[in-house]
Amino acid sequence: MRKRTRGHDLAALRRLNTTVVLRALHRRSPQTLAELAAGTGLSRPTVDAALEELAAQGWVTEADAGERVRGRPARRFRFRGESGYVLGADIGLHKMVLLLADLGGNVIAAERADIEPELGGGPRLALLQNSLDAFLDAHTVRRDLVLARCVGVPGVVDASGHVTSVVVPEWSGVDLGRLLADGESGHTLVENDVNLAVLAERWQGAATLAGDVVCVLTGHRVACSLTIGGQLHRGGRGGAGEMGLLPLLGMDSAHEALAWKDGLRDGESEVAALARAADAADPRALDAIADFADRITPGIAALALALDPELVVLTGGATPLGAHLVPLLEERLRPLTLHVPRIALSSLGERGVALGAVRKALDRVEEELLADPVG
């Protein structure tokens, strides 16, 4: 019994060492054997054995030669991001964005399509499923190499994956993740779109250095999400930050202020036309933006008082109005809050929610892969 226990302990220790090395390479690649030993605190023979195991599993490979050590180039090793893929999708009322990324988080393909806002829940789900299949086929990606997919939807998603949506009412009470996962390999996740937006801002956007963040998704609807200490705060049932559902605060009708038909050019959105008119100092356009600021300020103020965030990030369709909108929000928040947080505009554009979906899918893969890479 003692020998079996000792063998089990040694195998567990090897798996732990291998995990430590893989985590180090996943965080920063490439690295030399010496760098990995120094960074992990493991001995060079232990790191070498872990690298051999990881290379056999297909997660690690040798990179190009680096600096020379005693006349010979030092061997460098990198995490093989190309060993698998994740999918991130954003399906809203008016558009769909699909992103394909490798396990290093590098986006290698993207697609965007307009959606008829009147499209019902069933046809909308079928459109998403067919589009995901066509997207993978177009880029010749084997289904078994897609280790996770995440879809951002306009609605609250509880811990069991069931959706509550006022935007697509037919999805309410439905486990979309289960339907999307039918017959597919890898994990399938569904998440509220504004929750994914704040994940994207923390990963690659305006909030990379902030811990307590409020994200305000603007456009055809206004919704909010938040991170506390750098972690997404979903609440007990996934509804944290949903200030747009409270009519008293005015966010539910804020989008009405952005309706703008004057001087609309072919292919131009109403918000883009409004921004152009405001840049030209059109008083009616400036009044419309001021009206929008008035409508969203109470909800932002409520979150600012509850969370006292370092940063408020404005993302979504109204970001082209940022140069006019940010000063108005700062002015209106001042008498309502103890401290006016810094307000920043997202630079991620229409990919923001889908990028957050990529991040969440990667997190799921990492939880499984890095927990026991050779198990």
Side-chain angles (χ1 to χ4, degrees), residues 207-221:
T208 54
L209 300 179
D212 297 341
V213 179
V214 168
C215 184
V216 184
L217 183 66
T218 62
H220 296 287
R221 83 183 207 284

Side-chain angles (χ1 to χ4, degrees), residues 20 34-44 46-47:
V20 169
E35 289 171 336
L36 284 166
T40 61
L42 299 174
S43 69
R44 289 176 66 104
T46 298
V47 172

Side-chain angles (χ1 to χ4, degrees), residues 89-276:
D90 168 22
I91 181 159
L93 187 62
H94 293 264
K95 75 176 189 309
M96 176 174 58
V97 178
L98 308 179
L99 298 179
L100 177 68
D102 65 21
L103 296 186
N106 303 299
V107 174
I108 57 179
E111 184 177 297
R112 183 202 183 281
D114 291 323
I115 300 177
E116 289 295 331
E118 296 82 13
L119 194 65
R124 188 176 293 262
L125 183 62
L127 173 66
L128 174 62
Q129 291 172 313
N130 293 336
S131 297
L132 288 172
D133 285 339
F135 185 53
L136 292 176
D137 289 341
H139 298 285
T140 60
V141 174
R142 282 171 33 200
R143 299 302 193 271
D144 62 312
L145 293 181
V146 179
L147 303 187
R149 63 192 72 216
C150 180
V151 178
V153 298
V156 175
V157 183
D158 66 20
S160 68
H162 289 79
V163 176
T164 302
S165 178
V166 297
V167 179
V168 188
E170 299 94 330
W171 285 355
S172 291
V174 175
D175 184 349
L176 289 181
R178 181 183 61 79
L179 295 178
L180 289 167
D182 187 24
E184 297 290 351
S185 62
H187 300 288
T188 299
L189 312 171
V190 176
E191 181 59 277
N192 168 259
D193 53 4
V194 69
N195 282 349
L196 295 177
V198 77
L199 289 182
E201 297 299 335
R202 284 275 303 143
W203 182 31
Q204 295 186 4
T208 54
L209 300 179
D212 297 341
V213 179
V214 168
C215 184
V216 184
L217 183 66
T218 62
H220 296 287
R221 83 183 207 284
V222 178
C224 305
S225 61
L226 52 150
T227 64
I228 299 176
Q231 299 299 311
L232 176 66
H233 181 68
R234 303 183 76 256
R237 299 172 184 83
E242 287 288 346
M243 313 303 284
L245 296 178
L246 190 59
L248 180 65
L249 292 175
M251 279 186 168
D252 63 323
S253 61
H255 63 281
E256 296 171 359
L258 301 181
W260 186 264
K261 304 294 185 184
D262 291 3
L264 199 61
R265 298 171 180 171
D266 287 344
E268 186 179 39
S269 70
E270 292 184 13
V271 169
L274 177 59
R276 183 165 48 79

